[in-house]
Amino acid sequence: MFLSMFSAELKRTLKNPYSLMLILIVPVIITIIAIVLFSSLGFLQTRIGILNLDTDPLSRLTVGVVMSMFKGGNVIYVSEDYQQKLLSGDLQAVVVIPKDFSRRLYAAQQTELIFIPSPVDLQVSTVMYRTFRSLFEDLNGSPFFDPQVIRFLFTSPGYPAPKLSALEREKVLNLTSLLIPITVFLSSACVLLAIVSSSFQMDEQSKLTELFVSMDVRGFSYVVSKILAYTSIGIIVSTVSLFILLRFKVQPIVPTILMLIVLNSLFHASVGLILSAISPNMQVSSMFSVALTAVSFYFSGSVVPLSSMPERLQIFARNYPLFLTIYSLRKQQLFALDIMNDIKKIALLTVFSVVLCVVLGSLKLRRR
């Protein structure tokens, strides 16, 4: 019986032209919107840390010049334990000045500054990185970094500007990489909330609820079959999104993204059914799904940077499953950190939503 209910729910959804259109079209639409959005991103409240490893006596002078390149935001010196500030979002990026920076600069050799982004507001870090890199490229060959200019403000051309590098993080700081959480996780969330939020109302309209009650179907089997069917839909949407991203040759897609896709789909399938269970009719459930979709966009951290939210909303956003999913993916991409604690937290919130969904959904099969 359980497998029959699961199969019937899945087929009913996939045969519905409206649902099928959402599954195939929404990832494409969201990708296009994201491209337009990120292409127009500007600076917000940027906070940059400077780590100076240069012990040369002239480093204070050269570092002062480099610091002047980053005016317009809050620039502070940091120590070598800066990573926690990046992980917490206190800094959008850290620029590392290597040990031989002054020596190479005064020897007219190519110098390099290391740019380390924060996983919290990666879109802001990406804009900063590409802006500064373009600026340094424009200064290359100009007299700006001539030692004589630095010492005596005397112009003499031919000295190369520092090259800004993100090392192995370079492949993450690009537009298509930013699209991973939006097309994979947000697309799935939007589709599931739109489809699932009216599930119980559709059963009532088609008299399926009365049929299941007369057949003494257990509420647990009834709700769980729905959860698993819609979770499968979410996984399909995420898979479609991944195929779209492959067209952009996005790298890197980390292995744990598969686990995150499953948890994200399971959570939003459960939340969508909760909305349906507490709604008196389809109009109200549709209204709830639209509102929650907007909330998901806002608190995901991909569209609205966390640092631009009010402080109290930041606390909520940091514990919102969609933000946790995207944040844990970024941490693994940028720092290769173990994200099992984040996954456990997401799983705990997902289990809570599933349990609540089963309890509320089972009430729909009560004998009247």
Side-chain angles (χ1 to χ4, degrees), residues 200-215:
F200 291 125
Q201 283 75 20
M202 291 177 62
D203 285 354
E204 292 174 353
Q205 287 185 1
S206 59
K207 306 298 181 180
L208 281 177
T209 303
E210 295 180 7
L211 175 63
F212 290 146
V213 170
S214 65
M215 295 173 61

Side-chain angles (χ1 to χ4, degrees), residues 20 53 76 215 256 276 338:
L20 194 59
L53 302 178
I76 62 172
M215 295 173 61
T256 50
S276 182
D338 183 2

Side-chain angles (χ1 to χ4, degrees), residues 89-269:
D90 291 335
L91 295 173
Q92 261 84 45
V94 168
V95 176
V96 180
I97 301 175
K99 294 180 180 180
D100 61 345
F101 180 83
S102 296
R103 179 185 61 80
R104 295 178 63 86
L105 182 68
Y106 283 84
Q109 298 177 358
Q110 178 71 66
T111 52
E112 184 172 284
L113 301 173
I114 307 302
F115 184 91
I116 304 175
S118 166
V120 176
D121 291 329
L122 189 64
Q123 62 271 55
V124 177
S125 300
T126 299
V127 173
M128 291 165 56
Y129 172 73
R130 299 204 167 274
T131 300
F132 292 145
R133 182 166 180 172
S134 298
L135 183 60
F136 284 140
E137 289 174 352
D138 288 340
L139 290 173
N140 192 45
S142 75
F144 188 89
F145 286 96
D146 188 333
Q148 298 300 322
V149 174
I150 296 175
R151 286 174 173 170
F152 310 111
L153 300 179
F154 181 81
T155 303
S156 178
Y159 286 84
K163 176 185 177 183
L164 190 63
S165 172
L167 298 180
E168 71 277 3
R169 302 173 183 88
E170 182 87 30
K171 52 190 175 183
V172 182
L173 293 175
N174 60 73
L175 177 63
T176 51
S177 177
L178 290 174
L179 298 179
I180 292 177
I182 295 178
T183 56
V184 174
F185 301 124
L186 272 176
S187 295
S188 177
C190 292
V191 170
L192 285 175
L193 291 176
I195 295 175
V196 182
S197 62
S198 59
S199 178
F200 291 125
Q201 283 75 20
M202 291 177 62
D203 285 354
E204 292 174 353
Q205 287 185 1
S206 59
K207 306 298 181 180
L208 281 177
T209 303
E210 295 180 7
L211 175 63
F212 290 146
V213 170
S214 65
M215 295 173 61
D216 288 325
V217 173
R218 294 178 57 198
F220 178 83
S221 299
Y222 171 63
V223 179
V224 171
S225 64
K226 283 182 173 292
I227 292 174
L228 294 182
Y230 290 124
T231 298
S232 301
I233 298 296
I235 294 173
I236 292 174
V237 173
S238 296
T239 303
V240 172
S241 300
L242 283 176
F243 278 118
I244 294 174
L245 290 174
L246 290 176
R247 295 288 298 175
F248 290 95
K249 299 179 180 180
V250 172
Q251 293 292 334
I253 298 178
V254 296
T256 50
I257 195 173
L258 300 177
M259 188 182 304
L260 294 173
I261 284 173
V262 173
L263 288 174
N264 180 67
S265 299
L266 182 58
F267 173 77
H268 285 95

Side-chain angles (χ1 to χ4, degrees), residues 18 35 38 80 162 171 177 187 225 260-261 273 302 337 355:
Y18 169 73
I35 291 174
F38 283 125
E80 295 190 41
K171 52 190 175 183
S177 177
S187 295
S225 64
L260 294 173
I261 284 173
L273 286 171
S302 289
L337 295 176
V355 172

Side-chain angles (χ1 to χ4, degrees), residues 312-353:
R312 291 183 180 180
L313 291 182
Q314 287 188 32
I315 297 174
F316 178 81
R318 288 181 182 276
N319 294 283
Y320 193 72
L322 188 55
F323 175 83
L324 286 173
T325 300
I326 296 172
Y327 177 55
S328 59
L329 173 68
R330 294 309 192 194
K331 284 203 298 186
Q332 190 169 68
Q333 284 181 317
L334 293 173
F335 300 105
L337 295 176
D338 183 2
I339 60 173
M340 284 309 300
N341 287 334
D342 291 325
I343 290 179
K344 289 178 181 177
K345 189 173 183 179
I346 298 169
L348 182 62
L349 292 170
T350 302
V351 169
F352 174 79
S353 67

